[in-house]
C-alpha cells in the first residue's frame, strides 16, 4: 500500500536547518568557487561567497552545484516502455498502442510503486521537481475508484517517498479525437465532460509541502473545442499552471484543420487557453502565426528532445519560439532516458542539425531552461536559483568523472551541459534535505531493483 496523505507530508518534512559548502556553484551567470549556503525551514537564508574551505559543521558538496533541475513534462508509467518500444520500427501511433497495454495494467498501488521508483531515478539524475502530466484517472473500462483521485494521490505520495517535489497536472482527456468517443483503452482517462473533470479535480488533495496542483488539456483532439475554456477557467481561478500537448504530430494539425478550419494553436488562443500560466508541450509542427500567438501570449514551451527523437516526431522551432517571447523548459516525457542535462544539450544540438549553425543558446541559457524556467512552468517561482529566499533545492555534478575531468572549473556550466550526464550527479538536496548522497538515494536504497520489480508487476 502506498503512503496516506498524512504519511506523505511527514516523509517530505523540510530540514529545520543546515549549512552546505559548495566547492563550485553556478549562480545564474557564472561559476563561483567556495560558496556557503545556509538553510532554514527548507529555504536558503544566506549565500556567502569567498569561503575557501567548508565552515565547521557544513556539509561539503564537491563538484559543481546547480539549482535543482525541473523535469517539466513526465508520464511516469511510460518508464515501463523503455527498451520494449525500441524494438523494430513503427510510428508514434503504434507506440501508443503499446503504451495503452501498460496503462491497462495499473492500479493505485502498482502505480505508486512504479512512480516511486521512477521519481527516485529522477532524484539520482539531479531532478528535484517533476511536472506529472496525469490522465490515468479511473479503473479499466472507466469504473470510478471509491476515491476518484486514488491514482493522482498515489503519484503525490510516490513523489514524497522519493523525496522530490511534484506539480500534479491533472489532465482532461475526454475524446479519442475531435468528438470521437474514447476507445476502450481511453475510458479510464475520461471524466465524460470538462465540468465533471473539474468537479473531480476540485477534490484532489495536495498533501504535503512537496506538492502543488495544476491542470492539463491533453490535446485539442482529446478535449472538445467548446470545453477548452472550462479547463482554462479552472486554472485561471486558481492561478495554477496549465499544460497542453500541442502539434506533436502533423496528423493532429491536419485533423484540427478539417474539424475547425484552423491550427491547434489558433484553436487554443480562440478559447482563452493561452497565457503566461500556460505551457505548450512539444510544439513541434507550428506555423509562423502559431509561433507569434504563443510568444505574444507569453506562453511557455516545454521541449522534450529525447522523446521527440525517439518517436521520430521532428525538431521543434525552439529558437524562434524563444525569440518571440516563449520561455523554454525541458522534460523527459516518455523517459526513453531520464537525463535533463541530455535534454538541454539535445535542444542546442538538434537546432544545430536543423540550421547547420552553432551557438543558439549559451550553456547558462540552457541551464536556466532546466532550472528556473522549468520550475516557473510548474508553478514553483520560488525555486530554481541559488539565492536567499529560494527553496533549498540543489544538484551537484562531479567534475572529476571520465566525462567531466579536464576543463577548468570556471567552465563548469559548459562542462555540465555539453559533457556531463545524469550518471555524474553526485548529490541532490531538496528543501535542505540530502536525498542523494555520493550517488546513493537515501530513501530508496536500491533504485534499480525497485524499477525492475515495479515494471515487472505491470508488464502486459
Amino acid at each position: 500500500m502506498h503512503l496516506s496523505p498524512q504519511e506523505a507530508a511527514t516523509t517530505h518534512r523540510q530540514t529545520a536547518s543546515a549549512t552546505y559548502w559548495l566547492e563550485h556553484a553556478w549562480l545564474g551567470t557564472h561559476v563561483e568557487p567556495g560558496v556557503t549556503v545556509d538553510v532554514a525551514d527548507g529555504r536558503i537564508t544566506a549565500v556567502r561567497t569567498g569561503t575557501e574551505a567548508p565552515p565547521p559543521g557544513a556539509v561539503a558538496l564537491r563538484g559543481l552545484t546547480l539549482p535543482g533541475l525541473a523535469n517539466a513534462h513526465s508520464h511516469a508509467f511510460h518508464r515501463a516502455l523503455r527498451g520494449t518500444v525500441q524494438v523494430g520500427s513503427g510510428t508514434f501511433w503504434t507506440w501508443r498502442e503499446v503504451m495503452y497495454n501498460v496503462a491497462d495494467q495499473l492500479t493505485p498501488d502498482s502505480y505508486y510503486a512504479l512512480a516511486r521508483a521512477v521519481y527516485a531515478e529522477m532524484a539520482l539524475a539531479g531532478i528535484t521537481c517533476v511536472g506529472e502530466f496525469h490522465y490515468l484517472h479511473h479503473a479499466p473500462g472507466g469504473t470510478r475508484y471509491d476515491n476518484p483521485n486514488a491514482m493522482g494521490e498515489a503519484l503525490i505520495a510516490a513523489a514524497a517517498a522519493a523525496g522530490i517535489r511534484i506539480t500534479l497536472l491533472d489532465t482532461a482527456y475526454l475524446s479519442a479525437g475531435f468528438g470521437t468517443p474514447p476507445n476502450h483503452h481511453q475510458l479510464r482517462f475520461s471524466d465524460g465532460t470538462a465540468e465533471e473533470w473539474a468537479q473531480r479535480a476540485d477534490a484532489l488533495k495536495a498533501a504535503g509541502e512537496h506538492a502543488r496542483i495544476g491542470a492539463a488539456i491533453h490535446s485539442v483532439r482529446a478535449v472538445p473545442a467548446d470545453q477548452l475554456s472550462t479547463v482554462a477557467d479552472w486554472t485561471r481561478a486558481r492561478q495554477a499552471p496549465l499544460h497542453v500537448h500541442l502539434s506533436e504530430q502533423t496528423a493532429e494539425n491536419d485533423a484540427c484543420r478539417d474539424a475547425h478550419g484552423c491550427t491547434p494553436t489558433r484553436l487554443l488562443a480562440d478559447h482563452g487557453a493561452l497565457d503566461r500560466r500556460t505551457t505548450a508541450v512539444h510544439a513541434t509542427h507550428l506555423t509562423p502565426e502559431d509561433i507569434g500567438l504563443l510568444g505574444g501570449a507569453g506562453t511557455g514551451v516545454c521541449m522534450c528532445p529525447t522523446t521527440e527523437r525517439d518517436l521520430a516526431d521532428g525538431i521543434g522551432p525552439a529558437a524562434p519560439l524563444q525569440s518571440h517571447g516563449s520561455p523554454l523548459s525541458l522534460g523527459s516525457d516518455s523517459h526513453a532516458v531520464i537525463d535533463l542535462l541530455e535534454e538541454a544539450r539535445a535542444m542546442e544540438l538538434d537546432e544545430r542539425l536543423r540550421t547547420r549553425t552553432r551557438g543558439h543558446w549559451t550553456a547558462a541559457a540552457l541551464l536556466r531552461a532546466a532550472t528556473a524556467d522549468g520550475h516557473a512552468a510548474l508553478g514553483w517561482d520560488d525555486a530554481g536559483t541559488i539565492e536567499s529566499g529560494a527553496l533549498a533545492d540543489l544538484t551537484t555534478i562531479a567534475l572529476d568523472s571520465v566525462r567531466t575531468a579536464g576543463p577548468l572549473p570556471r567552465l563548469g556550466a559548459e562542462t555540465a551541459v555539453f559533457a556531463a550526464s545524469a550518471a555524474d550527479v553526485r548529490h541532490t538536496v531538496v528543501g535542505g534535505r540530502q536525498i542523494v548522497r555520493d550517488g546513493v538515494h537515501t530513501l530508496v536504497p536500491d533504485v534499480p531493483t525497485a524499477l525492475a520489480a515495479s515494471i515487472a508487476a505491470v508488464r502486459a
Side-chain angles (χ1 to χ4, degrees):
M1 292 294 290
H2 61 76
L3 300 177
S4 70
Q6 293 75 23
E7 290 169 327
T10 300
T11 298
H12 211 277
R13 185 172 291 134
Q14 309 286 22
T15 297
S17 62
T19 298
Y20 288 96
W21 179 77
L22 318 182
E23 185 181 25
H24 302 281
W26 181 68
L27 299 182
T29 57
H30 67 288
V31 173
E32 183 77 23
V35 176
T36 299
V37 172
D38 294 329
V39 176
D41 297 323
R43 292 186 179 271
I44 296 172
T45 57
V47 177
R48 303 190 302 278
T49 59
T51 51
E52 295 183 0
V59 176
L61 302 181
R62 297 190 181 277
L64 173 69
T65 298
L66 315 170
L69 306 177
N71 187 352
H73 189 66
S74 163
H75 301 290
F77 76 93
H78 290 190
R79 174 63 177 82
L81 303 175
R82 187 184 294 177
T84 302
V85 291
Q86 278 74 39
V87 176
S89 56
T91 66
F92 168 86
W93 307 103
T94 57
W95 170 91
R96 191 174 69 160
E97 292 302 314
V98 180
M99 178 270 289
Y100 286 154
N101 290 333
V102 172
D104 287 343
Q105 310 305 311
L106 288 161
T107 67
D109 287 339
S110 63
Y111 205 5
Y112 166 81
L114 176 58
R116 171 180 172 268
V118 174
Y119 296 155
E121 181 182 358
M122 290 186 192
L124 290 173
I127 293 164
T128 57
C129 185
V130 61
E132 185 61 38
F133 200 103
H134 167 58
Y135 54 81
L136 196 56
H137 303 304
H138 309 298
T143 302
R144 272 44 175 175
Y145 292 108
D146 291 340
N147 171 6
N149 286 304
M151 295 294 269
E153 290 175 12
L155 291 166
I156 291 171
I164 70 171
R165 304 185 193 278
I166 185 172
T167 297
L168 191 77
L169 299 161
D170 195 278
T171 303
Y173 193 139
L174 310 173
S175 168
F178 297 103
T180 303
N183 66 33
H184 68 284
H185 296 295
Q186 297 164 340
L187 287 171
R188 73 181 307 189
F189 307 162
S190 177
D191 291 295
T193 67
E195 288 76 13
E196 291 173 291
W197 165 83
Q199 290 173 10
R200 182 186 51 73
D202 279 338
L204 187 59
K205 296 180 177 65
E209 296 176 349
H210 76 294
R212 294 180 183 176
I213 303 298
I217 294 165
H218 178 272
S219 57
V220 295
R221 69 177 186 273
V223 177
D226 61 359
Q227 299 182 56
L228 292 170
S229 61
T230 300
V231 184
D233 290 345
W234 189 92
T235 58
R236 194 170 291 115
R238 291 158 182 77
Q239 296 292 294
L242 172 64
H243 287 218
V244 55
H245 290 137
L246 179 65
S247 293
E248 183 177 3
Q249 298 289 322
T250 55
E252 176 186 306
N253 291 352
D254 294 341
C256 188
R257 287 191 181 94
D258 289 343
H260 299 291
C262 64
T263 66
T265 302
R266 169 53 72 183
L267 191 67
L268 290 169
D270 288 349
H271 288 83
L274 298 184
D275 61 26
R276 293 185 180 278
R277 287 182 301 277
T278 305
T279 296
V281 182
H282 302 302
T284 307
H285 304 285
L286 302 180
T287 67
E289 181 191 26
D290 293 339
I291 293 170
L293 286 170
L294 293 167
T299 292
V301 174
C302 178
M303 309 302 292
C304 306
T306 64
T307 291
E308 289 150 7
R309 72 192 185 196
D310 182 55
L311 296 178
D313 285 344
I315 299 171
L321 280 162
Q322 189 167 56
S323 69
H324 279 76
S326 290
L328 299 178
S329 56
L330 298 165
S332 62
D333 191 6
S334 69
H335 312 314
V337 297
I338 294 177
D339 188 339
L340 261 287
L341 300 174
E342 172 62 21
E343 304 293 346
R345 173 163 59 245
M347 189 164 72
E348 166 66 24
L349 299 186
D350 284 356
E351 190 68 8
R352 292 181 185 183
L353 288 174
R354 189 175 72 85
T355 63
R356 290 181 291 174
T357 60
R358 303 178 75 204
H360 302 276
W361 292 277
T362 63
L366 293 168
L367 287 177
R368 180 175 177 83
T371 56
D373 287 345
H375 282 95
L378 298 176
W380 296 86
D381 296 302
D382 48 353
T385 59
I386 300 176
E387 60 186 16
S388 183
L391 290 167
D393 298 352
L394 307 170
T395 296
T396 303
I397 296 168
L399 294 179
D400 57 0
S401 76
V402 293
R403 288 165 294 278
T404 61
L408 295 171
R410 64 180 175 82
L411 299 175
E414 288 76 10
T415 303
V417 171
F418 293 106
S421 77
D424 297 309
V425 172
R426 182 172 282 166
H427 309 292
T428 304
V429 174
V430 183
R433 180 187 187 192
Q434 200 162 2
I435 301 302
V436 174
R437 182 182 297 117
D438 294 320
V440 177
H441 201 290
T442 62
L443 302 178
V444 186
D446 190 347
V447 178
T449 295
L451 285 164
S454 60
I455 291 169
V458 301
R459 187 171 289 126

